[in-house]
Amino acid sequence: MINFVLLISRQGKVRLTKWYSPYTQKERTKRLGTKEGEKDIYRMARIRERKTRDINPNQMYQGWGRPTPDAFVRRIQETEIEEALKRMKSGKAMGPDGIPIEVIRELSGLILTRGPKLCNFVEWRGYKVVYRRYASLYFCMCVDADDNELEILEIIHHFVEILDRYFGSVCELDLIFNFHKAYYILDEILIAGELQESSKKNVARLIAAQDSLVEAAKEEASSISNIIAQATK
Amino acid sequence: MALSGMRGLSVFISDIRNCHNKEQERLRVDKELGNIRTRFKNEKGLSPYEKKKYVWKMLYIHMLGYDVDFGHMETVSLISAPKYPEKQVGYIVTSCLLNENNDFLRMVINTVRNDIIGRNETFQCLALTMVGNIGGKEFSESLAPDVQKLLISSSCRPVVRKKAALCLLRLYRKNPDVVNIDGWADRMAQLLDERDLGVLTSVMSLFVSLVSNNAEAYWNCLPKCVRILERLARNQDIPQEYTYYGIPSPWLQVKTMRALQYFPTIEDPNARRALFEVLQRILMGTDVVKNVNKNNASHAVLFEALALVMHLDAEKEMMSQCVALLGKFIAVREPNIRYLGLENMARMLLVTDVQDIIKRHQAQIITSLKDPDISIRRRALDLLYGMCDVTNAKEIVEELLQVYKSSDSAAVEKRFSCGSPIVC
């Protein structure tokens, strides 16, 4: 599953972010730095640990690593708890959706410094970030450690091709001033962090339909205001 | 091209772009936030256009990394607007600005539900998308039955049904009880007969999640998955728009093979034979071509096929093919393929009887330990750690020591400290 999508420029400016799993929960951020906050973290860790154990034992069959629940649900590690605690203590501001801006900063530091001939995958906090550079823009998708990396790499390209078709040879400037369009388009490609449509034609058609609905509403509104203006003359 | 369609928004974005330093940017953002706050306070005077504009500005500011701690109410309330343009903005900005735990979301559950069960298809799509992206437990409890109905409905168009499938997946992840297993095995089997590949792609994602939690319940779906894979691999009546660089929907192929990996074994001899034929074709027939995207897509399928072969622990003949392929991959220049080769070789260590073949590649793996790419070094390190035993411990440890001396990588240190007790 894709946990989040991130578009950053070479200068580290964010051009789009979309999160499919809340990075941290708001309730916890409210209790920043308190004793209870620490307890919460450990409680969460325990629940998570238990989850990895309690899944139907019938399916604990022997086989290759991936499908066993243990491999499937990532175990929380001590270092992660430490890290989380560190983050909490510093009391850093988190966005309203509970995403520390630090995540973005950390990732851009990791990705933007990579040379051109390296692989497109970066391992990060137990996840993998698949990224691809197009001119001055980096498209990044953070996925679970056992996801198929190349598949994600091509989802990125699929997204870029659709943007390209929509804007007619897309450039960074298009995405800056039309960032909302980029969000509309992304929503037609991904839902819940999964690919929903692999046909470029279908996506293009749906976006065009949306655009014409908005246009139609605009015309209607202006004709109504004309009528009102005429009536009140 | 500054055609955002909203002048105020474009001007604001240009202003931000013209800021020379962070301090200026902050001042400009603060000014804008102050402006929006006062405008929202006197809400009566706001036209729909203005509301949309301010809400987009808030999202832009949020994206820049600033805290936007007001105006959530106004954003959410756009969802209840009767007209499409406002509703659309409301749904999209809400799903970016708020997360599933936000209290304001509770206020719109009813509106969202009305949109989902209503007759307006475009509203249904908007609502399903938002719930699919940020729906939490409460949404799960109150909306799951309606979403299910849309998914299995015969009168809904594919565009609604594919969104419903992924929306249900989200709700299922939040609360597995929303899918009642008894009835769903049959339904799922029906859904896997879907002809529309867009819907099928979404349905397959849902299926992967269901089957990962309870493979036993979905045995009846197994032959269908094999059939889908056959159809794709043979490129049998796959519409042109669903082929990607000449490959019939690589994503659906990957997902289908992923689903199959959750079944412990495949007993039905017919299905088994058909599946192995397909896998054989993928293993043998994937060539390296010039086009990067085609290459990536075909190798995404290939690596998933490798994983499936490893899982099914097939006739040993195929297994040795896999090892040979991986041996080839870890020696190529192309960094992505090398990375994946190393990663999958480490997974392969779990399969019995192949360790010795893997050991033959030791020298090659050690070369990757000195690669300039940290990602590749890590995979090489992991693999060496996994394959280290009495016979090769001395050599590997010596290599590691050398790397350790010349690098500052914390990963090596960590592996070292966990590796030593086993090795010694």
Side-chain angles (χ1 to χ4, degrees):
Chain A
M1 166 194 176
I2 298 166
N3 294 290
F4 59 82
V5 177
L6 184 63
L7 252 73
I8 32 179
S9 73
R10 217 166 41 169
Q11 287 80 31
K13 291 241 187 292
V14 180
R15 298 300 179 213
L16 181 145
T17 51
K18 181 94 184 171
W19 305 76
Y20 296 100
S21 55
Y23 185 73
T24 47
Q25 285 161 7
K26 201 183 178 192
E27 286 75 62
R28 276 195 289 150
T29 66
K30 274 188 204 150
R31 302 158 80 160
L32 272 187
T34 60
K35 256 252 140 34
E36 264 147 341
E38 283 183 36
K39 268 190 209 148
D40 271 7
I41 285 258
Y42 282 110
R43 194 172 46 87
M44 298 256 315
R46 268 210 308 280
I47 292 172
R48 232 169 125 181
E49 181 69 41
R50 224 177 294 143
K51 263 196 200 151
T52 65
R53 276 191 250 127
D54 276 1
I55 293 173
N56 185 1
N58 295 336
Q59 29 159 350
M60 299 284 260
Y61 50 83
Q62 288 295 307
W64 182 57
R66 181 172 288 151
T68 62
D70 265 337
F72 183 57
V73 186
R74 199 172 58 90
R75 268 166 195 275
I76 205 158
Q77 262 136 28
E78 230 173 288
T79 48
E80 272 180 85
I81 302 173
E82 271 166 32
E83 231 173 74
L85 280 177
K86 232 184 275 161
R87 251 198 331 272
M88 296 181 74
K89 286 224 179 78
S90 66
K92 274 168 190 152
M94 303 201 182
D97 51 356
I99 294 118
I101 188 77
E102 269 87 308
V103 167
I104 294 173
R105 229 169 265 154
E106 197 180 308
L107 266 183
S108 33
L110 218 56
I111 289 171
L112 300 181
T113 51
R114 281 171 69 82
K117 287 201 176 131
L118 308 184
C119 70
N120 294 86
F121 321 127
V122 175
E123 295 172 18
W124 173 77
R125 296 196 188 178
Y127 296 96
K128 273 189 189 148
V129 180
V130 179
Y131 73 95
R132 196 155 171 176
R133 181 177 165 183
Y134 292 87
S136 56
L137 266 187
Y138 286 79
F139 287 69
C140 318
M141 292 188 178
C142 171
V143 295
D144 295 336
D146 62 351
D147 278 333
N148 187 318
E149 295 89 345
L150 288 175
E151 176 205 26
I152 305 294
L153 198 56
E154 289 316 293
I155 291 184
I156 293 180
H157 190 71
H158 178 57
F159 179 37
V160 172
E161 282 188 337
I162 290 169
L163 287 174
D164 209 48
R165 189 183 279 198
Y166 182 81
F167 288 104
S169 173
V170 68
C171 66
E172 193 185 342
L173 221 52
D174 292 330
L175 296 184
I176 294 173
F177 284 100
N178 298 285
F179 70 103
H180 51 312
K181 292 282 182 209
Y183 277 105
Y184 291 144
I185 293 172
L186 186 62
D187 265 0
E188 290 300 331
I189 299 174
L190 298 177
I191 291 184
E194 305 282 349
L195 182 73
Q196 67 153 322
E197 183 56 81
S198 59
S199 151
K200 288 189 261 295
K201 210 165 100 193
N202 267 344
V203 175
R205 214 177 42 220
L206 289 170
I207 297 289
Q210 283 183 13
D211 282 353
S212 60
L213 267 176
V214 174
E215 270 316 303
K218 214 189 268 171
E219 271 163 29
E220 193 187 321
S222 66
S223 69
I224 289 173
S225 61
N226 273 346
I227 294 168
I228 295 171
Q230 299 226 311
T232 49
K233 230 176 217 171
Chain B
M1 179 172 136
L3 286 171
S4 77
M6 294 184 199
R7 225 181 78 84
L9 184 60
S10 298
V11 169
F12 174 61
I13 295 172
S14 312
D15 280 359
I16 292 287
R17 276 170 58 76
N18 291 333
C19 290
H20 293 294
N21 52 42
K22 201 78 197 156
E23 196 42 43
Q24 276 184 3
E25 187 188 290
R26 172 168 285 285
L27 282 174
R28 183 66 186 86
V29 165
D30 282 345
K31 188 180 144 204
E32 196 61 43
L33 285 176
N35 176 30
I36 299 174
R37 208 187 292 256
T38 38
R39 296 305 297 264
F40 275 155
K41 257 188 206 141
N42 323 319
E43 209 197 320
K44 269 185 196 142
L46 283 185
S47 69
Y49 169 79
E50 282 173 307
K51 266 195 223 161
K52 277 193 307 193
K53 185 176 73 183
Y54 291 132
V55 164
W56 277 123
K57 279 184 182 172
M58 279 165 47
L59 179 58
Y60 193 79
I61 293 169
H62 170 70
M63 208 167 71
L64 292 175
Y66 294 92
D67 228 5
V68 182
D69 52 5
F70 66 93
H72 296 170
M73 169 76 176
E74 284 79 0
T75 311
V76 170
S77 68
L78 277 177
I79 291 177
S80 321
K83 288 234 168 63
Y84 180 78
E86 284 89 59
K87 212 182 218 359
Q88 181 196 32
V89 174
Y91 270 121
I92 291 219
V93 178
T94 301
S95 68
C96 295
L97 218 49
L98 309 184
N99 80 0
E100 61 182 71
N101 302 304
N102 194 292
D103 294 333
F104 283 115
L105 283 179
R106 211 169 292 154
M107 296 171 19
V108 281
I109 286 192
N110 269 332
T111 318
V112 174
R113 177 154 191 267
N114 286 334
D115 282 342
I116 286 180
I117 58 178
R119 293 265 173 90
N120 188 324
E121 193 180 72
T122 47
F123 289 3
Q124 280 178 326
C125 287
L126 288 174
L128 289 169
T129 306
M130 188 195 77
V131 177
N133 286 336
I134 59 163
K137 225 170 162 152
E138 266 172 79
F139 277 86
S140 193
E141 275 152 20
S142 43
L143 298 178
D146 299 318
V147 177
Q148 287 180 14
K149 247 178 241 155
L150 289 184
L151 173 58
I152 54 176
S153 141
S154 54
S155 58
C156 277
R157 286 208 308 156
V159 58
V160 177
R161 294 182 52 223
K162 69 183 183 195
K163 288 181 186 352
L166 290 178
C167 184
L168 186 60
L169 168 60
R170 165 96 190 185
L171 301 180
Y172 174 73
R173 280 182 185 145
K174 293 294 148 193
N175 179 10
D177 298 336
V178 300
V179 173
N180 183 349
I181 288 172
D182 296 335
W184 264 89
D186 291 337
R187 272 188 201 159
M188 209 61 226
Q190 273 173 24
L191 285 170
L192 290 174
D193 285 333
E194 175 65 46
R195 299 305 287 175
D196 182 288
L197 287 184
V199 178
L200 191 57
T201 306
S202 301
V203 164
M204 195 56 87
S205 291
L206 173 65
F207 181 62
V208 169
S209 188
L210 292 174
V211 86
S212 72
N213 277 336
N214 191 347
E216 299 295 323
Y218 295 98
W219 277 112
N220 58 340
C221 299
L222 198 149
K224 308 240 166 178
C225 288
V226 175
R227 212 163 307 142
I228 292 170
L229 201 58
E230 262 187 297
R231 184 180 152 205
L232 287 167
R234 297 223 171 100
N235 203 346
Q236 282 167 342
D237 98 88
I238 307 294
Q240 179 59 32
E241 51 184 300
Y242 282 99
T243 54
Y244 182 80
Y245 289 89
I247 300 163
S249 187
W251 297 288
L252 185 54
Q253 291 196 46
V254 167
K255 271 191 224 297
T256 313
M257 287 192 269
R258 182 57 64 108
L260 286 168
Q261 286 170 58
Y262 289 105
F263 292 101
T265 55
I266 296 176
E267 274 150 16
D268 175 13
N270 286 332
R272 201 179 162 87
R273 197 174 332 112
L275 179 61
F276 278 106
E277 232 168 77
V278 171
L279 290 174
Q280 185 73 33
R281 187 191 290 247
I282 296 172
L283 289 188
M284 297 306 291
T286 309
D287 297 319
V288 178
V289 292
K290 243 191 165 162
N291 183 300
V292 180
N293 302 304
K294 182 171 183 162
N295 239 353
N296 284 340
S298 65
H299 281 76
V301 174
L302 175 61
F303 276 106
E304 207 59 46
L306 275 172
L308 185 54
V309 171
M310 283 191 247
H311 169 65
L312 293 173
D313 206 358
E315 293 91 67
K316 279 288 180 267
E317 192 192 337
M318 260 177 122
M319 197 60 88
S320 57
Q321 263 181 35
C322 291
V323 186
L325 265 176
L326 288 177
K328 206 172 84 191
F329 289 153
I330 61 168
V332 298
R333 287 272 277 303
E334 215 282 302
N336 287 340
I337 303 295
R338 193 142 46 93
Y339 175 94
L340 293 171
L342 291 165
E343 183 182 43
N344 281 285
M345 212 174 230
R347 284 182 182 154
M348 192 139 220
L349 282 171
L350 301 170
V351 181
T352 46
D353 301 337
V354 293
Q355 281 88 343
D356 285 334
I357 318 178
I358 291 178
K359 271 190 212 156
R360 279 183 226 152
H361 299 286
Q362 189 171 314
Q364 190 60 52
I365 299 166
I366 285 173
T367 333
S368 285
L369 199 58
K370 294 156 192 162
D371 197 273
D373 188 343
I374 169 84
S375 301
I376 289 180
R377 284 203 303 276
R378 274 198 194 167
R379 283 302 113 224
L381 186 63
D382 247 23
L383 178 54
L384 282 174
Y385 170 71
M387 62 195 274
C388 190
D389 63 17
V390 196
T391 58
N392 54 10
K394 190 161 175 283
E395 217 175 312
I396 290 181
V397 170
E398 266 165 18
E399 285 295 337
L400 285 181
L401 273 172
Q402 254 180 23
V403 173
Y404 185 51
K405 263 184 228 153
S406 60
S407 86
D408 49 354
S409 161
V412 180
E413 194 172 343
K414 210 165 137 197
R415 266 294 174 236
F416 240 94
S417 53
C418 12
S420 47
I422 301 170
V423 172
C424 296

